[in-house]
Amino acid sequence: MTAEEVERGTLASNGSLQRHGKPGQAIKPKGWGARHTLCLLGFWAFAISYAMRFNLSIAIVAMVNNTKPVESGAHQNHRGGNNSVILGHEEACVHLKAAPRIDEHGVTENLDPHGQGEFHWDLAEQGVILGSFFWGYVLTQFPGGLLATKYGGKWTLGLGLFVTAIFAILTPILARTHIYLLVLARVIQGLGEGVTTPAMHAIIAAWAPPEERSMMGSIVYAGAQFGTAVTMVVSGYLIHAGVMGGWPSVFYFIGAFSIVWFILWTMFMYDTPASHPRISEEELMYIQKSSGSKSNTAHEPTGPTPWLEIVTSMPMWAILVAHVGHAYGLYTILTLLPTYLSTALHFDMKSNSWLSALPYIVMWVAAIMVTQLADTIVAKRIIKTVTVRKLCQAVGHIGSALALIAASYSGCNRAVTVGLLTLAVGMNGAIYGGYVVNHVDIAPNYAGILMGITNTFANLTGFAAPYFAGLLLNDNPSIQNWQYVFFIAAAIYFADVLFYTLFASGTEQSWNRPKTESTALEELKNKPNAQD
C-alpha cells in the first residue's frame, strides 16, 4: 500500500484500512503504534527517574542512628513550650533531637526492627545529603536540551538515567566509606537526571501529533508521581523485611530495575518516527501530516533566539515565579515527609512508606483529572485560556498552603495530620493545568528553552528547601519548629499565586514568531473572538 493510498484511506487487502479523508488530511490509525510504545517507555523513564531521585528520602530514616539519649526535660508535657507542642491533644509530641519512641517503662522502642541505623548524621547533614542531588541537577538542564537537539533525545535521556542507575547501586558502598562520597554520588546522579526533562521535550515534540500532545505528555510525566509513590511503598517493605541488609536493598532494587529499562529503551526507542525501522507507514504518515513535517524533528523557528524579549517578558516571569514556588513547597514536603512521619508522629518504616506514598498517589490522580478538565474547557472556549491557567494555579497552591497551615496546628493527631498533608500534596496536581503548560501557550516555538530556564531556577529549591529546614530543625526538631517549616512553604505558595494572577497570560507572545509573522499575529489578537 502506497503512502498516497494510506493518506486517502484506501482499503487494504486485509481490510485494516477503511477510513477515507480529504487529500492532505491526517488520518489517525487504529490500534497500538510506535508512539504508544514511546509513551509507555517514557512513563517508566520518569517513574525510575523520580524513584532514584527520592529513594534516599525514605531510606535515610533507617540509615541514621537515632538512639542518642534524649536531653533532659525533652519528654515533659508542655503546652506551647519550645520543646513540645500539644495543641489540645493528650499525647505529647516530644522534642526529637533523637527520634526513638519511649514506652511506658522508659525503654526505647525500636522503630526499625533491624537496627537503629549505622550513620550518625545530624539534621543539618541530612539536609545537605538530601539536597545534594539538585546541585548537579540544575547544571545539566541547558546542556541536556542542547545535547538532545544535536544528538537526539534517545541517547541523551537513556545514558543520563543509566549513569544515575550505576551510582544508585554504588550508594551503599559510598555511604559507608564517607559522607562526602555519598554527597558526590548524589551530585553525579543529579547531573545524569538533569537532562531527562529537556530530552523528553525534544522526543515528544518529534513524536506527538498536536491533537495527542496533551495526552502523551500527561501519560509520560505522570510517571513522576507514580514512581515516587511506588518507591516509597516498596522501600518501606524492603527495609522492614531486612532484604539484603535493609536500606541498601532500596538502592540495589531501583538501580537494577533502571538498567533493565535502559536495555528496553535502547531496543524500542528512536529519536524520530522517520528513523524508526518498524513503524507502520500509516502511523508515520499520520504523525508527519499532523505535524507538517517530513523529518519530525522539533520545530526550530528561523532567526536568533529573542533572549532580550524572553528575559523582559512579564508572562515569562509569572511562569518562573510559579514554577519556583511550586518546587519549593513540593520539595519541602517530598524530601522531609518520611522524616516527619517517623520523628514527629512515630510511624514505623512500613506505615511510613505507605503514608509517604499516599499524597503522591492522590497527586497523580488529581493531575490526570484536572488536566483533562482544563483541556476540555479550553477546547470548548468556555472561559479564556489564561483564566483556566490562573484558576488551576490558585486551586493547586492556595489549597496546598491552607492544608499545610492546618497540618501544622494538628499537633499529634496522626489521622488529621496525615490527611491534611495528603491533601496538601494532592492538590498540587492542579498545577498541571496551570503554569506547567503555560510555556506552550505564550511561546510554543521556544517552549523547550523556557522550560529549561524555569526548571533550572525551580530546582535550586531542591537543595535550598531541605537545607533551610535542616537549619531550623537541627538544634530543636520540635513540632513548633516543624510548624515554621510548613509556614514558610505556605507563604511561598501564596506569593507565587499572587504574582502569577497579576502577570500570567494565555496569549502567544509576539516574540515567539519571526518578524515577518508579527503583523499577522497582531491581526489575530485583535479579532473579537480571539482566545486569551
Side-chain angles (χ1 to χ4, degrees):
M1 183 165 53
T2 67
E4 289 75 19
E5 289 176 322
V6 171
E7 182 177 337
R8 292 194 305 268
T10 303
L11 183 65
S13 58
N14 61 3
S16 61
L17 183 61
Q18 303 178 27
R19 300 174 303 283
H20 294 265
K22 297 178 181 179
Q25 179 182 0
I27 302 174
K28 184 176 181 178
K30 292 183 178 180
W32 187 273
R35 68 192 189 284
H36 301 124
T37 301
L38 159 67
C39 285
L40 181 62
L41 290 172
F43 172 87
W44 283 109
F46 273 81
I48 64 174
S49 171
Y50 273 68
M52 291 188 289
R53 184 182 308 191
F54 295 115
N55 55 4
L56 186 60
S57 295
I58 195 163
I60 201 170
V61 177
M63 294 169 69
V64 175
N65 188 301
N66 290 308
T67 57
K68 181 178 178 180
V70 181
E71 297 175 4
S72 176
H75 295 286
Q76 295 177 4
N77 292 344
H78 300 287
R79 290 185 179 272
N82 289 332
N83 291 339
S84 176
V85 178
I86 304 295
L87 301 175
H89 297 281
E90 295 181 358
E91 178 188 1
C93 290
V94 299
H95 172 72
L96 291 165
K97 177 72 174 180
R101 176 169 46 186
I102 309 299
D103 66 15
E104 63 272 18
H105 304 294
V107 178
T108 299
E109 293 185 29
N110 199 344
L111 302 182
D112 178 2
H114 302 284
Q116 279 292 331
E118 57 192 273
F119 302 104
H120 297 271
W121 301 324
D122 61 29
L123 285 174
E125 290 173 321
Q126 292 177 52
V128 171
I129 293 169
L130 290 172
S132 58
F133 173 93
F134 298 93
W135 300 350
Y137 187 78
V138 298
L139 296 178
T140 48
Q141 295 293 319
F142 283 122
L146 295 175
L147 288 171
T149 300
K150 186 173 183 179
Y151 300 107
K154 171 183 177 177
W155 290 107
T156 303
L157 188 151
L159 290 176
L161 290 183
F162 179 76
V163 169
T164 307
I166 295 298
F167 278 89
I169 295 172
L170 293 175
T171 293
I173 297 175
L174 298 176
R176 285 166 171 162
T177 303
H178 201 284
I179 186 175
Y180 291 162
L181 289 179
L182 174 60
V183 170
L184 177 62
R186 294 294 292 177
V187 172
I188 294 174
Q189 287 185 297
L191 291 170
E193 287 201 17
V195 304
T196 305
T197 300
M200 185 57 75
H201 267 58
I203 292 171
I204 291 178
W207 275 91
E211 59 268 30
E212 295 185 0
R213 195 163 292 155
S214 296
M215 180 272 293
M216 291 178 65
S218 63
I219 291 175
V220 168
Y221 294 119
Q225 283 74 48
F226 179 83
T228 302
V230 170
T231 298
M232 289 183 169
V233 173
V234 172
S235 297
Y237 276 92
L238 290 173
I239 294 170
H240 192 268
V243 177
M244 300 178 71
W247 66 264
S249 63
V250 174
F251 302 96
Y252 298 147
F253 178 84
I254 294 174
F257 187 85
S258 300
I259 290 176
V260 172
W261 167 88
F262 174 73
I263 295 172
L264 295 174
W265 178 261
T266 59
M267 292 173 59
F268 297 104
M269 180 60 210
Y270 292 86
D271 289 314
T272 65
S275 65
H276 198 301
R278 295 180 297 275
I279 190 173
S280 70
E281 190 174 7
E282 184 183 9
E283 183 180 16
L284 177 60
M285 181 67 69
Y286 167 62
I287 297 173
Q288 289 181 338
K289 284 291 183 180
S290 297
S291 304
S293 170
K294 293 298 182 184
S295 61
N296 289 101
T297 56
H299 175 63
E300 295 182 9
T302 58
T305 301
W307 291 111
L308 179 61
E309 289 82 356
I310 290 175
V311 172
T312 56
S313 170
M314 289 311 296
M316 168 58 184
W317 277 96
I319 297 172
L320 175 62
V321 170
H323 199 162
V324 171
H326 171 72
Y328 188 95
L330 193 59
Y331 284 144
T332 294
I333 308 173
L334 192 63
T335 57
L336 297 173
L337 183 57
T339 299
Y340 181 74
L341 293 174
S342 174
T343 61
L345 299 182
H346 306 303
F347 285 103
D348 60 29
M349 288 302 304
K350 186 188 295 185
S351 300
N352 192 343
S353 65
W354 273 105
L355 293 171
S356 297
L358 181 60
Y360 304 102
I361 296 173
V362 175
M363 184 178 176
W364 179 34
V365 174
I368 295 174
M369 294 176 61
V370 172
T371 301
Q372 294 298 319
L373 178 60
D375 283 349
T376 301
I377 292 174
V378 171
K380 293 184 177 181
R381 296 177 178 266
I382 298 174
I383 56 178
K384 292 182 178 180
T385 300
V386 67
T387 305
V388 173
R389 303 294 178 241
K390 291 177 180 180
L391 284 174
C392 288
Q393 194 71 20
V395 169
H397 282 183
I398 292 180
S400 296
L402 294 175
L404 279 176
I405 293 172
S408 72
Y409 282 106
S410 61
C412 301
N413 190 319
R414 291 185 176 187
V416 173
T417 302
V418 170
L420 289 169
L421 290 175
T422 298
L423 183 63
V425 177
M427 294 192 73
N428 270 277
I431 54 88
Y432 285 91
Y435 84 85
V436 173
V437 291
N438 203 193
H439 306 80
V440 181
D441 294 332
I442 68 170
N445 289 342
Y446 300 101
I449 292 176
L450 301 189
M451 175 60 79
I453 294 171
T454 64
N455 208 30
T456 297
F457 284 96
N459 281 284
L460 290 173
T461 66
F463 57 83
Y467 178 74
F468 289 140
L471 292 179
L472 283 171
L473 299 169
N474 195 45
D475 293 330
N476 184 14
S478 62
I479 293 297
Q480 185 172 347
N481 282 347
W482 275 105
Q483 189 177 58
Y484 295 150
V485 172
F486 292 155
F487 279 174
I488 292 173
I492 291 175
Y493 273 150
F494 278 119
D496 85 58
V497 169
L498 176 61
F499 193 91
Y500 188 80
T501 301
L502 291 174
F503 299 109
S505 173
T507 303
E508 181 181 347
Q509 303 298 291
S510 60
W511 46 264
N512 177 63
R513 299 176 182 238
K515 296 295 184 181
T516 55
E517 300 181 46
S518 297
T519 303
L521 180 60
E522 288 300 322
E523 292 177 357
L524 178 63
K525 284 186 186 179
N526 294 328
K527 286 184 178 180
N529 294 328
Q531 179 86 349
D532 187 14

